[in-house]
Amino acid sequence: MLAQSFPNSHFVGLDIDQCNVDWAYKDVATLGLKNLEYVCADASAMPNDWTSTFDYVFFFNLLHDTPRPDLIIDDVKRVMKKDGIMSVIELYAESKHADNLGDPNASFNYTDSLFYCLRCPTTILAPWL
Ligand SMILES: C[S@@+](CC[C@H](N)C(=O)[O-])C[C@H]1O[C@@H](n2cnc3c(N)ncnc32)[C@H](O)[C@@H]1O
């Protein structure tokens, strides 16, 4: 959607799971987008030649699924230009575990994140994707 909305900008989508990258590329082919590429990489160890490259970094529903989000933020600081902007959209949850009691989404999200997302890439647990 971003690549469609901002045709004069170039977008790089990143995921650690090659299966997700392959799946995402189907959209590029279907929509005929020329300003979008996907890369399979660990967001805490992005390519060396990306240093000071990006104007904008956007996390969508990712940081909560990583065991060391602090390392990812460190590497994002490296790949962003000095005046770059980062924005993050994540699932909503209370910081104190007890404050999530009574919210059915919270228990689902916690379980899903702990036993599915944090454990291994989609390729292993959901090979149909
Ligand atoms: C909840 S999914 C969200 C995927 C996509 N952003 C979306 O909203 O459809 C979290 C994603 O984070 C990816 N991921 C987990 N750790 C990562 C890392 N260290 N670097 C890059 N991607 C990672 C997983 O492979 C997974 O696709």
Side-chain angles (χ1 to χ4, degrees):
M1 289 171 68
L2 288 169
Q4 281 182 300
S5 299
F6 299 95
N8 295 327
S9 298
H10 184 83
F11 290 86
V12 180
L14 184 139
D15 199 288
I16 200 169
D17 183 358
Q18 183 65 49
C19 180
N20 290 343
V21 170
D22 294 343
W23 187 66
Y25 258 118
K26 288 180 192 163
D27 280 350
V28 178
T30 306
L31 299 170
L33 295 168
K34 303 260 184 280
N35 61 334
L36 171 62
E37 63 181 292
Y38 290 103
V39 173
C40 182
D42 183 343
S44 65
M46 290 180 271
N48 287 336
D49 60 351
W50 285 9
T51 300
S52 305
T53 299
F54 292 92
D55 297 299
Y56 178 59
V57 174
F58 173 47
F59 287 103
F60 184 76
N61 196 15
L62 185 142
L63 288 174
H64 74 278
D65 280 340
T66 62
R68 292 293 307 270
D70 55 325
L71 298 182
I72 292 177
I73 298 299
D74 284 348
D75 215 39
V76 164
K77 287 180 190 164
R78 177 181 66 79
V79 301
M80 277 200 312
K81 292 178 182 170
K82 277 211 176 343
D83 58 350
I85 295 172
M86 179 181 85
S87 54
V88 177
I89 294 180
E90 284 291 340
L91 301 174
Y92 182 79
E94 300 295 336
S95 298
K96 289 184 188 163
H97 191 64
D99 292 342
N100 291 305
L101 292 174
D103 177 357
N105 281 330
S107 54
F108 171 80
N109 290 336
Y110 182 78
T111 309
D112 188 40
S113 191
L114 191 62
F115 292 105
Y116 175 74
C117 304
L118 281 171
R119 283 187 54 81
C120 56
T122 314
T123 323
I124 298 166
L125 285 174
W128 59 87
L129 291 174

